[in-house]
Amino acid sequence: MSERTLPEIPTVADLPGKVRLRVAPSPTGDPHVGTAYMSLFNLAFARQQGGRFLLRIEDTDRARFRADSEQQVFDTLEWLGLTWDEGPDKGGPCAPYRQSERLDTYRPYVDRLLAESKAYECWCSTERLTQMREIQQKTKQPTGYDRLCLGKTREERAALPGFSETPVVRMLIPDDVELEFDDLIRGRVSAPRPDDQVILKADGFPTYHLAVVVDDHEMGITHVVRGEEWISSTPKHILLYRWFGLEPPQWAHMPLLRNTDKSKISKRKNPAARLTWFREQGYLPEALVNFLALLAYPPATNEDGTDREVFSFDEFSAGFDWRKVNPVGPIFDLKKLDWLNGVYIRGLSVGELASRLLPFLVDDGIVGDNPSLGELARLKAVTALVQTRMAHLSEAPPLVRPFFVPDDALEIAEDARAALGDNAAEVIEAAGRALGDIDDHGTSVLGSDSGWTAEAIETALRTAIVDGLGIKPKFAFGPLRTAVSGARISPPLFESMEILGKTSTLNRLAALLATL
């Protein structure tokens, strides 16, 4: 191919946004928590700078592709509030945003490199490459392609062992390849020398290394923010930008998330690596976003100069500075996340928390898909009792269930029954007599003038059991707690009885008494 017929490299038209950043997950299963981590830092900077945040789906790995994974990416990032301006589901000036729909885009770039002898075809079979690597490892040679196909025609290569009918295309890495580059987080960085990387696979799909450069250029990406595992690939990418006569973006390589044993967090070994897991476990999205920010960024600062670990995305974005990102791989400490989640749960209004609990209660069959106004009012009252007793929303069902099951369907837990003392029957009988005397005329606690209140219940029970039977307060009410909740540990007793109402409370006391 002559110089005159070389494919043109498109220039980027004026695109919206002062800066343009992207996250580019691969749809190969449940989204990795790292996708949210990278999205958070990309989005924080884009919003601070008045820029644009793009979502691109890198689905060129067809062997590991999963059709449902893309929707999971959309759903989990939307749940976290990490929303994008352009993407497969929203469109934009750089559509399409799926690499599998952009295959015609990559071929001219490959043809140009082949024509300029900056790339070459390689016919080596998988078996031959595996054998080559094994020999290199055994003889302690540098690993990498040995350039057997370089300079050979198809016929010349076919005469040698390990030939494959369909070639791949490899970069021809020059001796003077630049190995250092500037990083927004790490300063001047040095990477190892790359080998002749495959840029076009035998199936016609580009590899990550070519596609990411082409797509980032054509989508006007100004800052590439990704994990530190890509540092070693950056010289290849800078080289491709140089060969195509393009301006490289700025680079920011984030520290990898690590398990407590310092290993890289992976979906295979750690369920918390799955982004969907956090929703299933009942974490609040704002707590997870706060936690992910703290993994690689210092706390917010109060007016008096003290640190504050609880902050919103808007606060994080407003003061964002790449120089503050800690390049040391952070430990993914779930205990810290549990603490943060509890703080956020306690900070919600009762009504808001009740609405967030509802999906977990529906899934558990405690309430139906379309709860009545009475059920919603009762849920709000129960939520006020349990708000301080949860670290996860998923802990709500066993706490809430006793308030929604029929009296004759309440199950008494074995550990609660085993803990009942010898005087349980005496306590329950005394409680029944005392509570029976309370006037419950009027509306319920949920509406209000009834004499059946937590204060009246507590007064009656303390008089009958603590004073009347001489039982110490810490031991006096255990049998009653078991009777009304079925458990040893439950929401506050007197308030629980108020919500259940007089009839239900007395029914449950009688039911347990009958079994003693």
Side-chain angles (χ1 to χ4, degrees):
M1 188 179 288
S2 69
E3 182 66 30
R4 289 189 303 276
T5 60
L6 286 177
E8 293 289 335
I9 299 301
T11 57
V12 179
D14 290 336
L15 293 170
K18 178 182 175 184
V19 299
R20 293 175 61 82
L21 294 91
R22 52 74 176 169
V23 67
S26 298
T28 56
D30 286 357
H32 195 282
V33 67
T35 298
Y37 172 62
M38 294 301 165
S39 297
L40 170 61
F41 282 79
N42 274 282
L43 182 62
F45 183 67
R47 293 289 177 261
Q48 182 199 61
Q49 297 293 315
R52 303 270 282 186
F53 177 51
L54 285 64
L55 173 61
R56 185 172 71 227
I57 297 295
E58 298 194 342
D59 57 351
T60 59
D61 187 347
R62 305 312 288 178
R64 298 172 59 216
F65 172 79
R66 251 183 53 183
D68 62 335
S69 183
E70 180 180 297
Q71 188 60 48
Q72 287 182 327
V73 170
F74 297 160
D75 291 345
T76 49
L77 292 183
E78 286 278 10
W79 171 66
L80 289 168
L82 302 176
T83 53
W84 50 100
D85 304 301
E86 302 171 25
D89 58 331
K90 298 185 179 182
C94 304
Y97 292 89
R98 293 183 187 91
Q99 286 185 336
S100 60
E101 298 173 1
R102 299 174 58 81
L103 298 185
D104 292 342
T105 303
Y106 308 115
R107 188 72 220 194
Y109 289 84
V110 175
D111 290 343
R112 185 183 182 98
L113 295 182
L114 287 169
E116 294 177 346
S117 298
K118 292 169 180 170
Y120 60 96
E121 292 182 316
C122 172
W123 292 271
C124 288
S125 65
T126 302
E127 293 75 18
R128 195 255 158 187
L129 294 173
T130 300
Q131 184 181 46
M132 176 198 73
R133 281 191 292 269
E134 289 175 349
I135 293 173
Q136 289 173 342
Q137 290 169 355
K138 286 179 181 178
T139 58
K140 297 184 178 179
Q141 300 176 45
T143 56
Y145 183 59
D146 59 4
R147 293 183 171 174
L148 176 64
C149 294
L150 179 61
K152 292 183 174 62
T153 64
R154 176 188 177 87
E155 292 70 26
E156 289 170 338
R157 179 62 185 85
L160 300 175
F163 177 79
S164 175
E165 287 293 335
T166 308
V168 301
V169 177
R170 292 181 179 273
M171 296 173 67
L172 178 57
I173 302 297
D175 293 338
D176 63 348
V177 59
E178 179 61 52
L179 300 178
E180 293 188 349
F181 62 93
D182 290 319
D183 189 284
L184 291 169
I185 296 172
R186 301 163 188 272
R188 193 69 176 165
V189 174
S190 179
R193 176 182 168 78
D195 73 334
D196 289 2
Q197 179 69 49
V198 174
I199 56 174
L200 191 72
K201 295 180 283 188
D203 62 4
F205 278 73
T207 63
Y208 169 82
H209 301 285
L210 175 73
V212 74
V213 168
V214 171
D215 289 341
D216 283 346
H217 162 65
E218 296 205 355
M219 294 181 183
I221 301 303
T222 59
H223 297 72
V224 170
V225 183
R226 57 190 181 186
E228 65 181 288
E229 71 268 32
W230 295 110
I231 287 176
S232 61
S233 298
T234 305
K236 288 179 267 198
H237 301 165
I238 293 175
L239 182 61
L240 287 170
Y241 277 101
R242 192 179 85 195
W243 281 347
F244 295 137
L246 306 175
E247 182 68 26
Q250 294 192 65
W251 311 96
H253 288 89
M254 295 288 294
L256 288 179
L257 303 180
R258 301 189 182 278
N259 296 309
T260 52
D261 64 358
K262 305 292 181 69
S263 63
K264 178 182 175 181
I265 190 168
S266 69
K267 291 186 289 186
R268 195 177 63 230
K269 295 182 179 179
N270 188 341
R274 292 190 303 110
L275 197 47
T276 53
W277 180 84
F278 296 93
R279 197 170 187 174
E280 294 163 1
Q281 294 299 309
Y283 287 99
L284 299 185
E286 54 267 50
L288 181 55
V289 166
N290 192 160
F291 173 72
L292 292 174
L294 284 170
L295 286 175
Y297 206 80
T301 304
N302 293 313
E303 292 183 2
D304 62 1
T306 58
D307 289 343
R308 174 168 50 88
E309 294 192 302
V310 179
F311 50 82
S312 68
F313 170 80
D314 289 341
E315 290 178 290
F316 176 58
S317 176
F320 188 78
D321 186 339
W322 290 113
R323 293 170 298 180
K324 293 182 180 180
V325 176
N326 187 345
V328 179
I331 300 300
F332 205 88
D333 183 2
L334 284 177
K335 291 181 180 178
K336 180 66 167 288
L337 176 56
D338 288 344
W339 169 78
L340 262 178
N341 205 55
V343 170
Y344 275 91
I345 285 175
R346 292 188 292 276
L348 294 175
S349 70
V350 172
E352 173 66 17
L353 179 56
S355 69
R356 298 207 196 190
L357 293 179
L358 199 53
F360 292 88
L361 304 179
V362 171
D363 287 346
D364 220 61
I366 295 170
V367 296
D369 292 331
N370 188 24
S372 67
L373 291 176
E375 287 178 316
L376 292 175
R378 175 169 286 205
L379 174 58
K380 187 173 180 180
V382 174
T383 299
L385 294 188
V386 302
Q387 185 164 16
T388 61
R389 294 168 177 255
M390 294 184 298
H392 311 117
L393 301 182
S394 58
E395 295 170 358
L399 295 172
V400 173
R401 184 179 292 106
F403 296 91
F404 287 87
V405 298
D407 299 331
D408 57 3
L410 180 69
E411 296 183 0
I412 306 298
E414 288 302 318
D415 66 329
R417 187 179 293 277
L420 293 172
D422 296 337
N423 63 351
E426 182 184 19
V427 169
I428 293 174
E429 287 176 339
R433 290 191 297 268
L435 296 176
D437 292 337
I438 297 177
D439 179 11
D440 67 336
H441 294 301
T443 53
S444 71
V445 61
L446 308 176
S448 204
D449 293 329
S450 170
W452 183 261
T453 64
E455 293 79 5
I457 293 167
E458 180 177 7
T459 298
L461 291 178
R462 287 189 180 278
T463 300
I465 300 172
V466 178
D467 300 335
L469 299 181
I471 300 175
K472 293 181 179 179
K474 66 182 295 187
F475 303 114
F477 306 119
L480 310 183
R481 189 182 304 280
T482 297
V484 300
S485 71
R488 289 181 60 193
I489 300 173
S490 69
L493 176 62
F494 312 123
E495 289 80 357
S496 296
M497 288 180 168
E498 180 181 359
I499 293 171
L500 286 169
K502 181 175 180 178
T503 300
S504 189
T505 298
L506 293 177
N507 285 344
R508 294 184 181 198
L509 292 176
L512 180 58
L513 180 61
T515 67
L516 299 179

